[in-house]
Amino acid sequence: MTTPPHITVNVADSLAAYRESDATAALPSIKIVHLSDMHFVSSRFWKRLETLYEGVRGHNPNTLPALECEIASLKPDILIATGDQTTFGDKPSLKAAKEFLLQLGGKSGVPEERIYWIPGNHDVLLNYYSPIPGLRRNYDQVYGDLRIADSCVIAGSKLAIFSFDSTLDRKGQRSLLWPIVGSRGRVSPRSFNSFNDGLKPIEADRDYFKIALIHHHPLPIPFKSGSAIGLELTTMFNGGTFIAHMQESGMNLILHGHEHQPYSCRYCYEPEGNDIIVVAAGTACQNGSKQNSFNYLEVVPKVSVTIRQYAYSEAGFRIDRGATKTFRLATT
Ligand SMILES: [Fe+2]
Ligand SMILES: [Fe+2]
């Protein structure tokens, strides 16, 4: 008679793993709601163009109270909108989207200074196609200057948030392909210089958890179907440079939108540096989208980043449990 194979369970290891996960859950976390690509269209004039093609659709008004209801119950510390707050970049829509974000912050207990926004390519669309020399872009007039570097303490942790404008400057882009490539992004040398200046005061302090906000995606999104003409038309021109520089600058997390496809990954360009977690949010409320969603992140600095996805149906937003991801962070 043969003896059945023996399976050894190391109880000490299992207990240690349990305690570790339990301890992590008990640590205070920074709670972030990450919305993107709301695509507000609030004026009747621009609404008429919505039927032209799906890329210029506006927001679904039914999603707005649903967002307010769900996000108010999450009580985040920070609210972030990573661009394409509007579809055309007209002032009434830009103002309506900003008012909605401020109202959302008010209902969720997020103070105004903890609400962050950056422009997307659609927010500056009118300025691309009817540029008036010397006139400030509609986006800048409504949302003000970019907060290039900002820091605060939340849940006992030091946090630094860096904002980028990755929309293209049409000057110097006189290509005939402009209507096709106009949705691609780039971080300009001037923006890199401003970022480097903003980083300097905290660069040596390793206690800061650092987050970069950008609209375009620095990495191609996997598993998406390509464009009809077989060209990659939406990834940043210098996404590789951007993400490599972020890692050498000690960034921990990059949040972006643009593709309307939720996605996250860990990136490592420099093996000796900390890995970066890159997170894309879908479109929170664009009409007719395959899926509206937003991300809710719980960050425990030096321990973990957990990303939860909330998806919309006519019954409201609810968590998509299968989409939750936790990235463990190096403890250096
Ligand atoms: Fe968008
Ligand atoms: Fe975009």
Side-chain angles (χ1 to χ4, degrees):
M1 192 174 131
T2 52
T3 340
H6 208 75
I7 299 165
T8 310
V9 176
N10 187 329
V11 177
D13 281 352
S14 302
L15 263 178
Y18 172 76
R19 284 200 188 105
E20 195 188 321
S21 62
D22 201 38
T24 299
L27 287 171
S29 61
I30 300 166
K31 299 175 180 66
I32 301 171
V33 163
H34 174 203
L35 297 171
S36 201
D37 296 79
M38 299 193 301
H39 282 275
F40 266 56
V41 176
S42 58
S43 77
R44 219 181 279 170
F45 173 79
W46 292 108
K47 267 188 186 299
R48 285 195 205 114
L49 300 182
E50 281 186 309
T51 49
L52 285 180
Y53 88 110
E54 61 181 73
V56 293
R57 284 186 194 137
H59 64 289
N60 171 359
N62 292 324
T63 58
L64 305 185
L67 279 169
E68 284 178 345
C69 175
E70 198 59 43
I71 292 172
S73 71
L74 292 171
K75 295 189 173 48
D77 301 303
I78 298 176
L79 187 57
I80 290 171
T82 48
D84 283 359
Q85 272 80 264
T86 65
T87 293
F88 295 103
D90 57 297
K91 270 193 191 168
S93 303
L94 286 163
K95 282 180 184 166
K98 182 181 175 185
E99 271 163 31
F100 173 70
L101 287 170
L102 292 172
Q103 188 178 304
L104 188 57
K107 290 195 172 166
S108 317
V110 181
E112 205 172 317
E113 68 273 17
R114 296 282 80 87
I115 303 175
Y116 295 83
W117 43 58
I118 54 170
N121 51 309
H122 278 269
D123 297 318
V124 296
L125 205 63
L126 287 185
N127 298 88
Y128 281 156
Y129 290 100
S130 61
I132 300 170
L135 192 71
R136 245 181 136 205
R137 301 181 307 183
N138 286 345
Y139 177 87
D140 303 321
Q141 289 181 49
V142 175
Y143 286 78
D145 293 332
L146 206 63
R147 289 157 76 185
I148 289 163
D150 193 50
S151 58
C152 55
V153 174
I154 291 178
S157 295
K158 290 178 178 176
L159 183 70
I161 297 185
F162 301 91
S163 298
F164 287 87
D165 179 350
S166 57
T167 63
L168 295 178
D169 182 352
R170 179 131 195 209
K171 274 184 270 166
Q173 306 275 341
R174 305 258 178 245
S175 161
L176 287 175
L177 291 175
W178 174 262
I180 303 172
V181 300
S183 71
R184 295 191 71 183
R186 184 199 298 273
V187 174
S188 67
R190 203 173 53 159
S191 298
F192 276 124
N193 286 338
S194 303
F195 163 73
N196 293 337
D197 277 347
L199 176 68
K200 274 282 173 278
I202 62 155
E203 195 171 22
D205 190 338
R206 294 175 70 84
D207 284 342
Y208 272 97
F209 187 86
K210 302 186 188 82
I211 304 176
L213 311 181
I214 191 157
H215 177 64
H216 292 82
H217 44 102
L219 297 167
I221 301 275
F223 313 121
K224 68 164 186 146
S225 49
S227 75
I229 52 173
L231 285 173
E232 171 53 62
L233 299 172
T234 54
T235 305
M236 280 170 64
F237 282 105
N238 58 352
T241 305
F242 172 75
I243 201 165
H245 186 55
M246 289 304 102
Q247 199 199 6
E248 65 189 12
S249 303
M251 204 60 63
N252 303 102
L253 180 64
I254 294 176
L255 302 179
H256 71 85
H258 186 54
E259 193 65 60
H260 300 193
Q261 196 150 337
Y263 157 72
S264 57
C265 75
R266 185 197 298 273
Y267 178 87
C268 176
Y269 172 75
E270 174 53 63
E272 299 304 315
N274 285 338
D275 294 354
I276 296 186
I277 311 303
V278 183
V279 180
T283 164
C285 45
Q286 190 176 31
N287 220 345
S289 296
K290 200 161 58 178
Q291 179 69 72
N292 291 121
S293 68
F294 71 88
N295 288 344
Y296 174 61
L297 292 91
E298 288 165 298
V299 174
V300 183
K302 299 188 178 180
V303 177
S304 64
V305 173
T306 297
I307 303 135
R308 301 183 205 285
Q309 208 181 103
Y310 283 74
Y312 180 72
S313 74
E314 60 190 350
F317 279 90
R318 67 164 71 90
I319 191 165
D320 175 353
R321 295 199 184 277
T324 300
K325 266 187 173 183
T326 295
F327 291 93
R328 300 281 165 195
L329 303 175
T331 51
T332 55

